Amino acid sequence: MILGHQIMKRFIFSLTFLIITAMAFSQTSADTIDVWVNDTVLRCNVDSIALDAGEGYVTYEWSTGELSQIIWVQSGGNYSVEVFDGTNTESTDCRYYNARIEQSSDTICYQGEMILSVAPNNLSYAWRVSGNPTMIGTDFFLPVSPSTKTTYSVEVMVADQSCLDTISIDVYPRMYVEFFQLNEVCWAGDCKGQVKAIASGGFPDYIYDWGAAKVDPDDPSFALGLCPEELNQLIITDSIGCEFDTSYSLELYEKPEIEVTYSP
């Protein structure tokens, strides 16, 4: 029984070793670049690639200081290698671009704007909304203001090579506001308007900014002393910093007409 357990453990170990080896070989063969054949290499958002200076040389010396036939690189840049075959010295170099979309966040406030940008910024680009073939930009950056969750893609091109990177931008819930005018204002210049604003949506609690208007110190959603001839601005900010910029005009009630008559 113990022998059976030992055989099973050896089998599992051997199988695991074969799987790991096969995965490593697959990754290495797929991501290995012959620097004598490729002087420009483009990839999109990869962890690393291998640069191979070829077999049969006595010594290798890379610009990174490494002395092996193959080196793994993560960052884009210029890489060169000098090889010695026992008689002659040869050298070559390779320009590697690892392009990717850079952004500060993957979530945006409702009606907010975000700038998507690609590094490096000196190649050719074609931006699209995923699922739509129409190109929406060709610069290295793209201003976006989605109203719902949207996936953007950029095709990066250099020489005869291209690759694709994508990013999904989600949208925080929008905010809403209702205004309630609490008193009657009868004529222009009668700056005694009182308005209550009630916010919803987004992420409570809310901060109410009425600008220059007076505010009830116990209830900042309540503005006082508003004038009917002015457009009263209100900026509501929720707990995560999203803003809702809106305004309110007082309803002006008609002044009563007084007719004076005289009786003889």
Side-chain angles (χ1 to χ4, degrees), residues 87-152:
T87 304
N88 299 311
T89 299
E90 297 180 80
S91 64
T92 189
D93 60 352
C94 176
R95 174 63 181 173
Y96 170 47
Y97 298 97
N98 187 9
R100 67 186 67 206
I101 298 173
E102 296 181 330
Q103 79 291 332
S104 57
S105 173
D106 58 3
T107 308
I108 192 172
C109 296
Y110 182 79
Q111 293 185 331
E113 184 178 84
M114 176 185 293
I115 304 295
L116 304 179
S117 63
V118 181
N121 62 7
N122 57 345
L123 306 178
S124 297
Y125 312 92
W127 291 92
R128 295 177 175 85
V129 174
S130 292
N132 189 336
T134 303
M135 190 165 56
I136 59 174
T138 57
D139 290 318
F140 74 91
F141 63 92
L142 181 72
V144 298
S145 183
S147 57
T148 59
K149 185 174 183 179
T150 304
T151 300
Y152 299 90

Side-chain angles (χ1 to χ4, degrees), residues 67-84:
L67 304 177
S68 56
Q69 173 190 331
I70 297 174
I71 64 170
W72 285 88
V73 297
Q74 289 79 37
S75 303
N78 289 309
Y79 296 90
S80 61
V81 62
E82 185 177 277
V83 296
F84 178 63

Side-chain angles (χ1 to χ4, degrees), residues 19-256:
I19 292 173
I20 294 173
T21 303
M23 291 173 62
F25 176 79
S26 175
Q27 181 187 30
T28 303
S29 60
D31 298 325
T32 300
I33 305 300
D34 186 340
V35 295
W36 299 99
V37 176
N38 302 278
D39 59 358
T40 301
V41 178
L42 173 65
R43 295 288 187 274
C44 277
N45 204 1
V46 299
D47 292 330
S48 61
I49 64 169
L51 302 180
D52 186 357
E55 298 179 348
Y57 296 102
V58 178
T59 61
Y60 302 84
E61 185 174 353
W62 292 86
S63 54
T64 60
E66 295 167 272
L67 304 177
S68 56
Q69 173 190 331
I70 297 174
I71 64 170
W72 285 88
V73 297
Q74 289 79 37
S75 303
N78 289 309
Y79 296 90
S80 61
V81 62
E82 185 177 277
V83 296
F84 178 63
D85 63 5
T87 304
N88 299 311
T89 299
E90 297 180 80
S91 64
T92 189
D93 60 352
C94 176
R95 174 63 181 173
Y96 170 47
Y97 298 97
N98 187 9
R100 67 186 67 206
I101 298 173
E102 296 181 330
Q103 79 291 332
S104 57
S105 173
D106 58 3
T107 308
I108 192 172
C109 296
Y110 182 79
Q111 293 185 331
E113 184 178 84
M114 176 185 293
I115 304 295
L116 304 179
S117 63
V118 181
N121 62 7
N122 57 345
L123 306 178
S124 297
Y125 312 92
W127 291 92
R128 295 177 175 85
V129 174
S130 292
N132 189 336
T134 303
M135 190 165 56
I136 59 174
T138 57
D139 290 318
F140 74 91
F141 63 92
L142 181 72
V144 298
S145 183
S147 57
T148 59
K149 185 174 183 179
T150 304
T151 300
Y152 299 90
S153 67
V154 61
E155 182 183 8
V156 184
M157 297 159 283
V158 61
D160 59 345
Q161 301 178 57
S162 67
C163 62
L164 195 71
D165 196 16
T166 61
I167 180 71
S168 290
I169 304 298
D170 207 350
V171 180
Y172 288 123
R174 67 178 298 182
M175 284 185 281
Y176 301 87
V177 63
E178 289 184 274
F179 291 101
F180 299 91
Q181 186 170 327
L182 304 180
N183 67 330
E184 297 180 358
V185 179
C186 296
W187 60 86
D190 184 18
C191 297
K192 298 178 181 178
Q194 301 178 10
V195 173
K196 170 78 172 179
I198 299 180
S200 60
F203 294 89
D205 293 329
Y206 308 103
I207 298 174
Y208 297 84
D209 182 0
W210 290 94
K214 297 177 182 178
V215 177
D216 185 336
D218 297 322
D219 184 359
S221 67
F222 187 19
L224 309 170
L226 302 181
C227 299
E229 66 271 20
E230 297 178 357
L231 189 64
N232 302 283
Q233 186 180 31
L234 171 63
I235 299 176
I236 302 172
T237 305
D238 69 7
S239 61
I240 64 170
C242 289
E243 292 185 350
F244 181 30
D245 192 341
T246 186
S247 58
Y248 179 77
S249 294
L250 291 175
E251 182 179 354
L252 188 62
Y253 292 85
E254 294 183 3
K255 291 187 293 184

